mmCIF file of all heavy atoms in Angstrom:
data_model
loop_
_atom_site.group_PDB
_atom_site.id
_atom_site.type_symbol
_atom_site.label_atom_id
_atom_site.label_comp_id
_atom_site.label_asym_id
_atom_site.label_seq_id
_atom_site.Cartn_x
_atom_site.Cartn_y
_atom_site.Cartn_z
ATOM 1 N N VAL A 44 22.102 99.646 -88.506
ATOM 2 C CA VAL A 44 21.430 98.648 -87.434
ATOM 3 C C VAL A 44 20.526 99.500 -86.578
ATOM 4 O O VAL A 44 20.979 100.365 -85.820
ATOM 5 C CB VAL A 44 22.648 98.051 -86.659
ATOM 6 C CG1 VAL A 44 22.054 97.053 -85.546
ATOM 7 C CG2 VAL A 44 23.640 97.272 -87.550
ATOM 8 N N GLU A 45 19.313 99.167 -86.557
ATOM 9 C CA GLU A 45 18.337 99.893 -85.884
ATOM 10 C C GLU A 45 18.083 99.333 -84.399
ATOM 11 O O GLU A 45 18.496 98.157 -84.301
ATOM 12 C CB GLU A 45 17.026 100.040 -86.512
ATOM 13 C CG GLU A 45 17.008 100.791 -87.697
ATOM 14 C CD GLU A 45 15.803 100.893 -88.501
ATOM 15 O OE1 GLU A 45 14.681 100.253 -88.084
ATOM 16 O OE2 GLU A 45 15.548 101.771 -89.371
ATOM 17 N N ASN A 46 17.706 100.008 -83.501
ATOM 18 C CA ASN A 46 17.418 99.606 -82.103
ATOM 19 C C ASN A 46 16.009 100.106 -81.655
ATOM 20 O O ASN A 46 15.801 101.278 -81.968
ATOM 21 C CB ASN A 46 18.564 100.028 -81.150
ATOM 22 C CG ASN A 46 18.531 99.501 -79.757
ATOM 23 O OD1 ASN A 46 17.476 99.532 -79.144
ATOM 24 N ND2 ASN A 46 19.584 98.840 -79.440
ATOM 25 N N ALA A 47 15.266 99.381 -80.947
ATOM 26 C CA ALA A 47 13.978 99.847 -80.449
ATOM 27 C C ALA A 47 14.117 101.030 -79.547
ATOM 28 O O ALA A 47 13.236 101.854 -79.487
ATOM 29 C CB ALA A 47 13.304 98.693 -79.705
ATOM 30 N N ALA A 48 15.239 101.277 -78.887
ATOM 31 C CA ALA A 48 15.507 102.332 -78.084
ATOM 32 C C ALA A 48 16.077 103.439 -78.976
ATOM 33 O O ALA A 48 17.318 103.834 -78.822
ATOM 34 C CB ALA A 48 16.493 102.026 -76.869
ATOM 35 N N TYR A 49 15.471 103.939 -79.831
ATOM 36 C CA TYR A 49 15.872 104.980 -80.779
ATOM 37 C C TYR A 49 16.395 106.158 -79.981
ATOM 38 O O TYR A 49 15.792 106.557 -78.967
ATOM 39 C CB TYR A 49 14.656 105.539 -81.795
ATOM 40 C CG TYR A 49 15.082 106.588 -82.685
ATOM 41 C CD1 TYR A 49 15.639 106.257 -83.892
ATOM 42 C CD2 TYR A 49 14.827 107.906 -82.463
ATOM 43 C CE1 TYR A 49 16.095 107.335 -84.698
ATOM 44 C CE2 TYR A 49 15.198 108.908 -83.246
ATOM 45 C CZ TYR A 49 15.824 108.685 -84.455
ATOM 46 O OH TYR A 49 16.222 109.572 -85.198
ATOM 47 N N PRO A 50 17.436 106.806 -80.217
ATOM 48 C CA PRO A 50 18.327 106.737 -81.430
ATOM 49 C C PRO A 50 19.592 105.888 -81.260
ATOM 50 O O PRO A 50 20.682 106.173 -81.733
ATOM 51 C CB PRO A 50 18.670 108.255 -81.637
ATOM 52 C CG PRO A 50 18.821 108.724 -80.273
ATOM 53 C CD PRO A 50 17.847 107.995 -79.530
ATOM 54 N N ILE A 51 19.476 104.755 -80.473
ATOM 55 C CA ILE A 51 20.728 103.968 -80.233
ATOM 56 C C ILE A 51 20.927 102.941 -81.276
ATOM 57 O O ILE A 51 21.058 101.736 -80.998
ATOM 58 C CB ILE A 51 20.552 103.297 -78.807
ATOM 59 C CG1 ILE A 51 20.256 104.362 -77.722
ATOM 60 C CG2 ILE A 51 21.866 102.685 -78.487
ATOM 61 C CD1 ILE A 51 20.128 103.778 -76.452
ATOM 62 N N GLY A 52 20.897 103.483 -82.426
ATOM 63 C CA GLY A 52 21.239 102.585 -83.567
ATOM 64 C C GLY A 52 22.617 102.887 -84.185
ATOM 65 O O GLY A 52 23.231 103.718 -83.622
ATOM 66 N N HIS A 53 22.962 102.215 -85.255
ATOM 67 C CA HIS A 53 24.215 102.605 -85.882
ATOM 68 C C HIS A 53 23.952 102.821 -87.416
ATOM 69 O O HIS A 53 23.307 102.065 -88.024
ATOM 70 C CB HIS A 53 25.273 101.518 -85.806
ATOM 71 C CG HIS A 53 25.721 101.237 -84.490
ATOM 72 N ND1 HIS A 53 26.676 102.024 -83.783
ATOM 73 C CD2 HIS A 53 25.407 100.327 -83.480
ATOM 74 C CE1 HIS A 53 26.967 101.646 -82.614
ATOM 75 N NE2 HIS A 53 26.118 100.585 -82.438
ATOM 76 N N CYS A 54 24.505 104.010 -87.961
ATOM 77 C CA CYS A 54 24.336 104.302 -89.333
ATOM 78 C C CYS A 54 25.345 103.491 -90.144
ATOM 79 O O CYS A 54 26.164 102.951 -89.674
ATOM 80 C CB CYS A 54 24.473 105.767 -89.554
ATOM 81 S SG CYS A 54 26.102 106.387 -89.439
#
Side-chain angles (χ1 to χ4, degrees):
V44 178
E45 294 180 349
N46 188 303
Y49 179 83
I51 307 177
H53 294 280
C54 68

